[in-house]
Structure formats: structure tokens, C-alpha cells
Amino acid sequence: MSVVVHVVLRGVSPAQYDAVRAEVGWLEHVPDGGLAHLAWWEGDDNHNLDAWESEEAFNAFGANRLGPAMAKLGIAAAPEATFHPAHEVFTPKVLRLT
């Protein structure tokens, strides 16, 4: 079942976020099961709202790509993830705006 995930990374700056995104290779190789990703900041905290094919797909991405990338870059923030069942995930067109 698809899920919506709200992830908070406390104290992660935009520069750190960009470094992690590059290290993970999200833009070059979309993670298996990754459907959509949005990011913003509230104060010093990075927030992400994602859609995934399943909670297992998100967890595999965290274990196999996100965690190792953050460790390699020395970013110790632990992702705080809250899962919600998705009623619908609609992505009418692939688009990247930064």
C-alpha cells in the first residue's frame, strides 16, 4: 500500500541537504518505490513530504542509501518519519523545481 511520509531532519541546513541529495543520487537514480518528494525548512529543521509505494520501500531507501550518505557526510541528524496511508498519489508530470 502506498504511503505518505513526513520526515524531519533537525538542524540540517540547505547546503547539507543538497550534499546528501547529491550523495544519494536521487536525481540521477530515483529510489525504488519513490513516487514524489518535496522539501522545505521551518527554522533550522528540514522537512520532507514524500510519497512511496510502501513503508518497506522507504525503509530500504533509508537503510541502503540515505543512512550511508548521511554518515559519509558526517550528518548525525536522525530522520524522524511519520507514516500515513495514502488515499491517492497523483503525479501528472515529472518536474523538478529548485
Side-chain angles (χ1 to χ4, degrees):
M1 171 179 38
S2 58
V3 293
V4 175
V5 188
H6 178 209
V7 179
V8 179
L9 295 167
R10 302 207 182 273
V12 171
S13 71
Q16 289 173 308
Y17 169 86
D18 290 344
V20 169
R21 186 182 65 210
E23 184 67 30
V24 164
W26 176 285
L27 299 178
E28 298 78 23
H29 177 70
V30 176
D32 293 338
L35 303 174
H37 176 76
L38 298 99
W40 73 95
W41 275 260
E42 293 180 15
D44 293 333
D45 300 334
N46 170 243
H47 290 254
N48 300 276
L49 190 62
D50 296 346
W52 288 84
E53 288 179 359
S54 67
E55 191 171 334
E56 293 78 17
F58 172 84
N59 289 333
F61 170 73
N64 299 324
R65 290 177 64 182
L66 181 62
M70 290 178 68
K72 180 177 179 179
L73 295 169
I75 300 171
E80 301 170 19
T82 304
F83 294 89
H84 305 277
H87 174 73
E88 179 178 61
V89 175
F90 176 64
T91 55
K93 123 177 149 176
V94 176
L95 179 66
R96 176 180 171 218
L97 300 172
T98 57

